[in-house]
Amino acid sequence: MAEPPSDERYALLEALNLEVHYGGIAAVRGISFAVEAGELVCLIGANGAGKTSTLKALARMIPARGEIHYRRERLDRLPSHALIRRGLALVPEGRGIFARLTVAENLAMGAYHRADRAGIADDLARIYDMLPRLKERATQVAGTLSGGEQQMLAIGRALMGRPRLLLLDEPSMGLAPLMVEKIFEVIRAVAAQGVTILLVEQNARLALQTCGRGYVMESGQITLADSAARLLADPRVRAAYLGE
């Protein structure tokens, strides 16, 4: 679904001095970070730390200050609807599916900007192979799916746009443990296909076990940045986010 990662590593996404304000409240306070092509990176932190606001700012869904570079282009000067054509997709917190459309219609909406019918058909077949439950429920109204199935649908719909960079916001929220495991299997499979992923996740342990690198946000600022393995071993992370 995405171009295979090249041998050249570069900052596919880079945020510089990113700020988000809600009135007089600073939700994101001048953070800078980067995600290289082919990486699986997580952003962890407590509720209210600014993680979702960061993803919404990257996707141009809310106003923000600072610079956002994607594939060496300034995103902060573009409207949100222009991003999908450039290969950036967001799976929002709460899934955001079209509840009154069928599963198949939701997936088709993910490819609304594409005209390559053969490619769309191939991608749909791959998504059904990866997520067979969606194939079983292709004609079912999406609003009647379980929470986990809706999360699968939201990811599948985003993949129909052939993203190079996928922003995932709290994919495990509200799901039973077995479904959480399945969702993370899907995330790993998507990353293995060459899609770069920036993951915001409440389950810090699972996020760090899945990703190669991580950032920790506290009160709108990035306070730690390291490999996922080192963050898992960091006493501050273990005490604050791993319940130890």
Side-chain angles (χ1 to χ4, degrees):
M1 293 166 208
E3 296 178 13
S6 72
D7 292 335
E8 177 191 11
R9 295 187 68 81
Y10 64 95
L12 183 70
L13 174 74
E14 187 174 17
L16 300 173
N17 300 315
L18 190 66
E19 298 181 9
V20 175
H21 294 262
Y22 298 104
I25 300 173
V28 180
R29 304 167 179 262
I31 65 173
S32 298
F33 64 93
V35 179
E36 293 186 355
E39 278 197 302
L40 178 46
V41 177
C42 62
L43 186 59
I44 64 171
N47 289 336
K51 307 183 303 297
T52 289
S53 293
T54 297
L55 286 197
K56 286 184 175 180
L58 295 175
R60 304 291 294 128
M61 294 180 66
I62 56 174
R65 301 173 186 168
E67 297 182 10
I68 303 168
H69 296 261
Y70 170 70
R71 299 178 67 186
R72 304 185 178 99
E73 178 183 12
R74 285 282 295 270
L75 284 193
D76 50 284
R77 296 169 175 168
L78 298 174
S80 59
H81 64 78
L83 305 189
I84 187 63
R85 296 181 185 276
R86 287 166 168 77
L88 187 152
L90 168 68
V91 177
E93 180 183 355
R95 298 140 200 163
I97 62 165
F98 299 104
R100 296 186 178 182
L101 300 182
T102 66
V103 167
E105 288 168 340
N106 268 270
L107 294 172
M109 287 297 293
Y112 77 93
H113 65 290
R114 297 173 56 184
D116 57 322
R117 291 188 178 183
I120 291 172
D122 288 344
D123 287 346
L124 182 61
R126 280 193 286 268
I127 287 169
Y128 281 153
D129 285 343
M130 183 189 304
L131 302 168
R133 198 167 301 187
L134 296 185
K135 186 174 183 179
E136 294 169 6
R137 290 159 172 72
T139 60
Q140 186 170 329
V141 174
T144 65
L145 298 175
S146 70
E149 291 165 347
Q150 289 185 14
Q151 187 64 63
M152 291 180 188
L153 178 57
I155 293 172
R157 184 183 59 189
L159 293 177
M160 287 298 294
R162 282 195 174 178
R164 296 177 63 130
L165 173 63
L166 186 62
L167 309 178
L168 288 174
D169 194 2
E170 301 285 11
S172 78
M173 181 175 288
L175 302 183
L178 286 177
M179 185 56 73
V180 170
E181 290 181 13
K182 176 60 179 176
I183 292 297
F184 270 79
E185 287 176 10
V186 172
I187 291 170
R188 295 184 191 99
V190 171
Q193 293 177 5
V195 179
T196 304
I197 296 176
L198 176 59
L199 168 69
V200 161
E201 175 53 46
Q202 61 178 349
N203 188 329
R205 184 185 303 275
L206 185 54
L208 291 170
Q209 289 172 342
T210 301
C211 296
R213 286 197 306 117
Y215 294 96
V216 178
M217 282 193 78
E218 296 178 9
S219 302
Q221 296 179 306
I222 291 176
T223 55
L224 290 171
D226 211 329
S227 71
R230 282 193 284 267
L231 288 175
L232 272 171
D234 191 304
R236 293 165 293 179
V237 174
R238 297 178 75 87
Y241 306 110
L242 305 183
E244 299 180 7

